[in-house]
Amino acid sequence: MSALVEGWGGWLQPLLAPWALGLIGLLIGSFLNVVAHRLPLMMERQWWADVAHQLADAESYRRIFGQPVPAAAGAAATALGQQLERLPAFGLARPASRCPSCGHAIRWFENVPLLSWLALRGRCSACRAAIPWRYPFVELLTGVLFAAVAWRFEGQPVALLWCAVVAVLLALSLVDWDTTVLPDAMTLPLAWAGLLAAAFGWTIPWADALWGAVAGYLSLWSVYWLFKLTTGKEGMGQGDFKLLAALGAWLGWKALLPVVLFASVLGALVGIGMKATGALREGRFVPFGPFLAGGGVAVLLAGLPRVLDWMGWA
């Protein structure tokens, strides 16, 4: 990717400084807040559309149940389809951001990352409802991580690629924390992008990426089925397999064990802390995805050779 900077006259170089990528990270962090809030709702809309489609599928119903679709099911499919059609357009770009309490349209100067939250003292300018602290925290965290990536790669253009990876991992963490779902729409493209980046020679050797993806998926898949066959319960979601496969595609097969170890320790500490403070309710569990992502980012920023040396595996 160094040829990219040279070919474009080096105009990209100033963007690779830690302060510049840190500022970009603040902006990206604001968008990640939108993704974390809206993507699960978009997924739920699609699930209900799938339900309506399935209820209306007379042939499928007959194959499974051996009888015609009941009139009530057909009526429900029609009613549900009509309700879905009446819903306003909803996506990552539309509608414009509004206060969830009063519907106040967020003006551009109220949407400046971090600064607007501080200027508004964490409250809506119209109804004074509290704006969750998570919004500026995510913006600040994204900025710090982008700056750390810039520092780690010392002006190399591949830093932009790794910033994109960090942004996706952070978005996945937020969605998983809120919903315990890791969307295929993010984990699978992340895995394929890692394989392509290795194929183009931008990250790690192709063989390391390929076996990292394979080993990442199969390792957690094996643990999942071993636990399920032993206890009859599901110990983790299948999205975790795909996330670790994606991390393997980007970091290589040697990084998988350090990533899982870091994730396990961090997850255990957070889980114990939540249990002690009453934040973890009975019967609920802490999703593993955010900790896998955190382990991946830790290995990325520290550098795999250094991590392996720390563990005595170099």
Side-chain angles (χ1 to χ4, degrees):
M1 292 185 75
S2 58
L4 183 65
V5 177
E6 296 174 2
W8 290 352
W11 68 268
L12 196 61
Q13 197 65 46
L15 294 178
L16 301 175
W19 67 267
L21 276 182
L23 290 177
I24 294 173
L26 291 176
L27 298 173
I28 298 297
S30 181
F31 176 67
L32 296 184
N33 279 318
V34 175
V35 172
H37 173 69
R38 297 193 180 193
L39 183 59
L41 296 176
M42 293 164 59
M43 292 167 57
E44 286 191 71
R45 278 200 184 196
Q46 184 57 53
W47 294 339
W48 280 111
D50 293 342
V51 168
H53 175 77
Q54 194 63 34
L55 285 173
D57 191 337
E59 290 301 318
S60 175
Y61 193 95
R62 186 183 295 275
R63 284 195 299 270
I64 299 301
F65 298 103
Q67 59 186 16
V69 177
T78 301
L80 183 56
Q82 292 172 346
Q83 284 183 299
L84 289 167
E85 289 177 0
R86 287 196 294 267
L87 289 175
F90 187 82
L92 296 180
R94 293 185 301 171
S97 298
R98 294 181 178 275
C99 171
S101 297
C102 68
H104 166 69
I106 306 300
R107 294 165 289 191
W108 71 267
F109 54 85
E110 296 175 328
N111 210 22
V112 178
L114 194 59
L115 296 180
S116 291
W117 189 86
L118 293 173
L120 293 170
R121 298 184 179 181
R123 295 191 174 275
C124 171
S125 62
C127 69
R128 307 307 298 166
I131 303 172
W133 62 268
R134 191 173 98 167
Y135 291 112
F137 174 76
V138 170
E139 293 167 352
L140 181 60
L141 178 61
T142 310
V144 169
L145 289 176
F146 274 36
V149 169
W151 173 80
R152 164 74 172 80
F153 289 96
E154 299 179 339
Q156 299 177 50
V158 75
L160 297 176
L161 195 59
W162 284 112
C163 281
V165 173
V166 167
V168 175
L169 290 175
L170 183 51
L172 281 167
S173 299
L174 295 171
V175 172
D176 195 27
W177 187 265
D178 291 340
T179 67
T180 67
V181 172
L182 287 167
D184 286 351
M186 298 176 72
T187 55
L188 297 183
L190 183 63
W192 283 111
L195 294 174
L196 286 174
F200 283 118
W202 294 342
T203 52
I204 59 177
W206 160 248
D208 286 357
L210 176 62
W211 290 113
V214 171
Y217 187 90
L218 291 181
S219 59
L220 290 188
W221 178 87
S222 301
V223 171
Y224 168 88
W225 279 107
L226 179 63
F227 185 83
K228 187 171 183 178
L229 292 173
T230 303
T231 66
K233 301 177 181 179
E234 295 186 359
M236 67 179 68
Q238 298 187 23
D240 294 323
F241 316 162
K242 301 163 192 173
L243 177 56
L244 190 59
L247 290 171
W250 282 99
L251 299 171
W253 63 271
K254 293 181 182 179
L256 292 175
L257 189 53
V259 167
V260 172
L261 286 176
F262 288 171
S264 300
V265 171
L266 183 58
L269 291 175
V270 171
I272 292 171
M274 293 179 67
K275 189 73 172 179
T277 59
L280 183 61
R281 290 176 290 175
E282 193 67 30
R284 299 292 297 273
F285 60 90
V286 178
F288 196 41
F291 306 111
L292 282 177
V297 171
V299 171
L300 165 65
L301 294 180
L304 182 57
R306 184 176 300 172
V307 171
L308 294 178
D309 184 56
W310 290 342
M311 294 183 168
W313 299 342

